[in-house]
Amino acid sequence: MDEVEVVVAHSERATLRVGDVFLKVDADQARMDVEVEAMSLAPVPTPEVLWRKPPVLAIAALPGATLGRLGGPSTGTPAAWAAAGAAIRKLHDAPLPPRPGRAGRSSVALAAELDDECESLVRNGLLPSDLVTRNRRVAEGAFRPWAPVFTHGDLQIAHVFVDGDEVTGIIDWSEAGQGDALYDLATFTLGHEEHLDDVIAGYGTGIDVDLDVIHAWWSLRGLLAVRWLIEHGFDPFAPGCEVDVLRSRM
């Protein structure tokens, strides 16, 4: 019998691996509906859906390995990062999905959430005020007009699989929908700034890739994530993770 591996687990959802099958358990069926729909629409490789019996979704494992993880070394070549950039561009050029995703939140809503989070981080002593103030200022660069594209919405490098220099699949589509292209690019390169040029080279031209906006999304994502990560048993203070990304903006 195959062993059960806990891939990730917290109060909102859990993912288990049993042999070549991933079992995703999510009490939010609307979120699972988005994931299944997005995988059916995305013009990039995605896992095969084997079966679904709420609250469980079973998908097939992908060949290859991820490009790395936040806080760890990159395991991919520059060509693999460029291939990932090309795959992201193919997604962004696809017809729009029917609804907004996580990358499509309005600037007004994000600014209000960011203000509340920054105040909480300082009040509770989670981060020093100068670090929060500086990154809050940088984050404002993300608040500008943008044309919606088909976004993944949670495009961490741990969600992109490659075999050699070929992208074999992208997982975890529950936050997908219409959104800001640079949100995806920033999420993908978070903590791995050294590969940003490779990703942009693969991504190509036609959509304005403003580096200041990508930097702004790094700060914004970090500020919004720190408290949630701590409350759900993760460590944003680990080397190379969210707090180090925030410090890099100082």
Side-chain angles (χ1 to χ4, degrees):
M1 179 178 178
D2 290 310
E3 293 184 354
V4 176
E5 174 192 355
V6 178
V7 178
V8 63
H10 50 75
S11 61
E12 295 181 2
R13 64 189 98 168
T15 300
L16 311 175
R17 180 169 185 166
V18 185
D20 290 332
V21 177
F22 285 92
L23 302 176
K24 302 192 68 173
V25 184
D26 194 331
D28 186 338
Q29 290 308 293
R31 189 160 50 203
M32 192 173 285
D33 290 341
V34 168
E35 176 156 17
V36 172
E37 179 185 55
M39 287 193 293
S40 72
L41 296 174
V44 296
T46 60
E48 177 188 1
V49 175
L50 301 175
W51 51 265
R52 180 181 180 188
K53 186 175 181 180
V56 182
L57 173 68
I59 60 176
L62 291 168
T66 65
L67 280 166
R69 62 179 178 81
L70 184 62
S74 165
T75 57
T77 66
W81 283 85
I88 297 169
R89 179 55 180 272
K90 188 174 183 180
L91 175 67
H92 290 172
D93 284 343
L96 289 174
R99 60 182 62 82
R102 185 167 182 79
R105 291 168 292 171
S106 73
S107 294
V108 173
L110 276 170
E113 182 182 356
L114 183 61
D115 285 342
D116 290 344
E117 201 62 38
C118 288
E119 193 275 333
S120 176
L121 290 170
V122 175
R123 183 182 69 249
N124 293 305
L126 296 176
L127 293 177
S129 60
D130 60 339
L131 183 66
V132 171
T133 299
R134 169 57 181 162
N135 278 276
R136 174 64 179 83
R137 190 176 303 120
V138 173
E140 291 177 358
F143 303 147
R144 87 285 176 219
W146 44 267
V149 300
F150 191 155
T151 54
H152 179 279
D154 190 20
L155 199 60
Q156 305 172 46
I157 59 171
H159 293 163
V160 178
F161 284 72
V162 297
D163 188 358
D165 298 335
E166 177 184 357
V167 175
T168 57
I170 301 175
I171 64 172
D172 285 1
W173 293 81
S174 61
E175 307 289 352
Q178 300 177 24
D180 180 358
L182 299 193
Y183 180 95
D184 270 355
L185 290 175
T187 302
F188 185 64
T189 55
L190 184 74
H192 288 281
E193 186 170 357
E194 72 276 11
H195 287 294
L196 180 58
D197 287 345
D198 298 324
V199 173
I200 292 174
Y203 190 77
T205 59
I207 294 178
D208 182 23
V209 181
D210 187 326
L211 297 183
D212 287 338
V213 174
I214 289 178
H215 297 161
W217 276 121
W218 287 342
S219 289
L220 183 54
R221 182 179 173 92
L223 290 170
L224 294 182
V226 167
R227 183 171 58 88
W228 185 95
L229 290 167
I230 293 171
E231 291 176 352
H232 288 79
F234 302 100
D235 184 8
F237 292 90
C241 290
E242 284 79 5
V243 175
D244 273 355
V245 172
L246 294 174
R247 289 171 177 152
S248 72
R249 299 299 104 200
M250 296 296 285

